[in-house]
Every structure is written in C-alpha cells, then in structure tokens.
Amino acid sequence: MASEAMAQAVLQHAHQFYDVGSWYVVAECWDLWAVLEELDRHETETQSSFTLETGAIAHFAKIIGVGRTIH
C-alpha cells in the first residue's frame, strides 16, 4: 500500500521540477490526498505495490507524459 511519505515525495518532486515537462500540472492541480488516492488506485489495478518513492514518482511521470517525444 502506498504511503503518505510516497505521496509527499511525488509532490516534492513536482515542485522541484516545476519548470521541467508537465510537472507543474502535478504541483498545481494535485494535493497529497489525491496523489495518495491515485497511487492506491494504481496498486489495486495492477496488483503491484510501490516499494520505493522513485516508483511512485515514475508512475506520475507516465501520467503526465514526461519523456515522451512527438514524432
């Protein structure tokens, strides 16, 4: 089960990288409880738990499309 600390790590990352990619969307539009709810939803859907904060951050990077290129 995702922890509050993981959700906080996602938000801290979003604020730190506010000007990179679309992290501003997470920083401006998501709060701690919404991040935690999304992490829990993903864990339930995939039957896989986040064990590290980096996994939670990577999940949000996928949601906002960080690293995608347009061809």
Side-chain angles (χ1 to χ4, degrees), residues 34-57:
V35 171
L36 186 57
E37 184 177 311
E38 169 56 24
L39 294 174
D40 286 342
R41 183 206 62 77
H42 181 74
E43 286 180 332
T44 300
E45 184 178 292
T46 62
Q47 296 295 309
S48 178
S49 297
F50 291 105
T51 56
L52 299 173
E53 293 171 351
T54 54
I57 293 167

Side-chain angles (χ1 to χ4, degrees), residues 6-43:
M6 286 182 185
Q8 186 62 41
V10 170
L11 290 175
Q12 287 174 345
H13 184 85
H15 286 282
Q16 184 177 3
F17 292 96
Y18 188 90
D19 294 329
V20 178
S22 297
W23 281 108
Y24 71 92
V25 173
V26 177
E28 294 290 331
C29 300
W30 293 73
D31 65 13
L32 182 70
W33 305 117
V35 171
L36 186 57
E37 184 177 311
E38 169 56 24
L39 294 174
D40 286 342
R41 183 206 62 77
H42 181 74
E43 286 180 332

